[in-house]
Amino acid sequence: MKPVRVAVLAFEGVSLFHLSVPGIVFGVTPAPAGLPPYEVSYCAPDPGLVRCDQGMEIEVPGGLGAMDDADIVIVPAWNHPENAAPAVLSNALRQAHARGAQVVGLCLGAFVLGDAGLLDERRATTHWACRELFAQRFPKANFLPDVLYVDDGNVITSAGTVAAIDCCLNLVRQRHGADVANRVARLLVTPPHRQGGQAQYIEQPVPSLPSENRLPGVLEWAREHLSQPLSLDVLAEVARMSRRTFTRRFREATGMTFVKWLAAERIARAQQLLETTDLPIEQVATEAGFGSALSLRQHFASQLHTSPSAYRRLFCEGQRCTSD
């Protein structure tokens, strides 16, 4: 059986985790039936010793020529996403993609693919913490902020650090089918497909803006009274403003409508309760202001693409998880 050739990029400060993930997933042992041999090699713009983010030095003997015959080229998280990748690297990636190789950007490695022009008019993602910088640098990309990975025309990008495993498992699934990918996942003791996307990991809500000082104390008051019925009229009265003035200033301060802001705050409160308490789902819904467990589930499904109980299983402390 012909081996699948994988070239993984290394560079100064590269993530040791991302360097390891392709070899761990594609080289899992014992190899399950249906998984052909994979040859994982490492390359660098400047071959030789490369210091990774953990401080260890790794010998990388091959240059970018290793990409010339690779079936899959993988770029780990770029450690300086605000800086463009070297032109020699961009050229090598464009050539690899042009001849049919799958080009993968893990986490902030998506920025390197963007510098190579491979994300123009394509769907892509990256770590949620850099979503604004990504949107600024690559306005032609169709950025998807709440997925774990996305494949668009042999160009694959993934979200935050651990999503590299999800991404590589998906490559196995694409090439060899779900049964093989599931067996690989079982050997790795990891879910073959995680529910939801990175939306459930994003810090909700978006950090406060400096302009919130136009509404002194009102937003904090609302956060402290989420369990109560809240409306524009209630907050306008607390702020001692007319409804019209408050609506305008609220939009200026938060960048969103009151309804969206309130839903985000209530989801954030529910997340906190699910992470740190063993309250029943019904009580979490009441404390967060959703009124019913059904409403809480609907909002979680819509905004986080998961359920309250699944979220709790991921984040709660110990074994206190309850079901919804």
Side-chain angles (χ1 to χ4, degrees):
M1 188 179 297
K2 183 179 178 181
V4 179
R5 291 163 298 196
V6 182
V8 183
L9 180 69
F11 46 85
E12 196 68 16
V14 68
S15 165
L16 180 60
F17 178 77
H18 280 173
L19 279 180
S20 303
V21 166
I24 291 171
V25 175
F26 302 133
V28 65
T29 56
L35 182 70
Y38 273 74
E39 292 181 355
V40 180
S41 60
Y42 302 87
C43 61
D46 299 308
L49 288 177
V50 171
R51 185 181 296 274
C52 72
D53 62 344
Q54 300 300 311
M56 295 185 296
E57 289 188 334
I58 301 171
E59 179 70 28
V60 182
L64 297 181
M67 296 184 184
D68 293 345
D69 60 356
D71 301 297
I72 303 172
V73 175
I74 297 180
V75 181
W78 195 239
N79 47 8
H80 295 292
E82 67 279 5
N83 297 332
V88 63
L89 176 55
S90 295
N91 291 334
L93 290 171
R94 282 194 293 267
Q95 292 173 9
H97 179 260
R99 62 172 180 75
Q102 286 185 302
V103 181
V104 182
L106 301 177
C107 191
L108 302 184
F111 281 80
V112 180
L113 273 57
D115 287 330
L118 298 181
L119 301 184
D120 291 353
E121 312 304 330
R122 296 183 190 276
R123 294 174 297 128
T125 193
T126 191
H127 195 295
W128 63 264
C130 288
R131 59 192 186 276
E132 292 183 3
L133 177 61
F134 186 90
Q136 291 170 4
R137 292 200 56 207
F138 310 114
K140 293 183 180 180
N142 179 12
F143 180 58
L144 304 181
D146 60 353
V147 298
L148 291 174
Y149 55 82
V150 59
D151 182 349
D152 191 328
N154 260 10
V155 175
I156 302 97
T157 49
S158 72
T161 307
V162 179
I165 297 176
D166 301 275
C167 183
C168 288
L169 280 173
N170 185 61
L171 289 171
V172 174
R173 187 179 301 109
Q174 284 181 342
R175 289 173 171 268
H176 315 297
D179 288 344
V180 175
N182 291 347
R183 288 195 289 270
V184 170
R186 281 196 291 271
L187 288 168
L188 297 176
V189 196
T190 190
H193 183 77
R194 282 194 285 168
Q195 292 183 346
Q198 68 171 328
Q200 59 189 298
Y201 303 94
I202 296 175
E203 292 180 356
Q204 299 276 3
V206 174
S208 301
L209 300 174
S211 55
E212 282 194 2
N213 59 15
R214 298 185 183 182
L215 302 175
V218 177
L219 300 185
E220 189 58 36
W221 181 90
R223 292 183 180 112
E224 294 173 356
H225 294 80
L226 290 174
S227 63
Q228 301 177 14
L230 295 177
S231 66
L232 266 175
D233 290 330
V234 169
L235 266 66
E237 183 177 350
V238 172
R240 297 183 180 180
M241 298 179 187
S242 68
R243 177 189 174 96
R244 180 176 180 180
T245 299
F246 179 81
T247 300
R248 184 182 73 253
R249 293 195 176 179
F250 186 93
R251 188 64 180 260
E252 291 173 351
T254 65
M256 63 182 75
T257 65
F258 171 74
V259 171
K260 288 186 177 180
W261 180 88
L262 183 60
E265 291 289 341
R266 284 179 164 158
I267 287 174
R269 177 60 175 156
Q271 287 177 293
Q272 180 188 34
L273 293 171
L274 291 168
E275 292 174 26
T276 60
T277 76
D278 56 2
L279 293 174
I281 298 297
E282 291 75 9
Q283 190 170 347
V284 170
T286 299
E287 292 288 333
F290 286 109
S292 69
L294 176 60
S295 178
L296 175 63
R297 293 188 189 103
Q298 290 173 336
H299 278 83
F300 259 61
S302 174
Q303 299 300 317
L304 304 184
H305 310 299
T306 188
S307 70
S309 61
Y311 182 89
R312 171 170 270 169
R313 283 194 294 271
L314 281 174
F315 288 98
C316 73
E317 299 172 358
Q319 298 298 320
R320 296 179 286 97
C321 302
T322 58
S323 65
D324 61 350

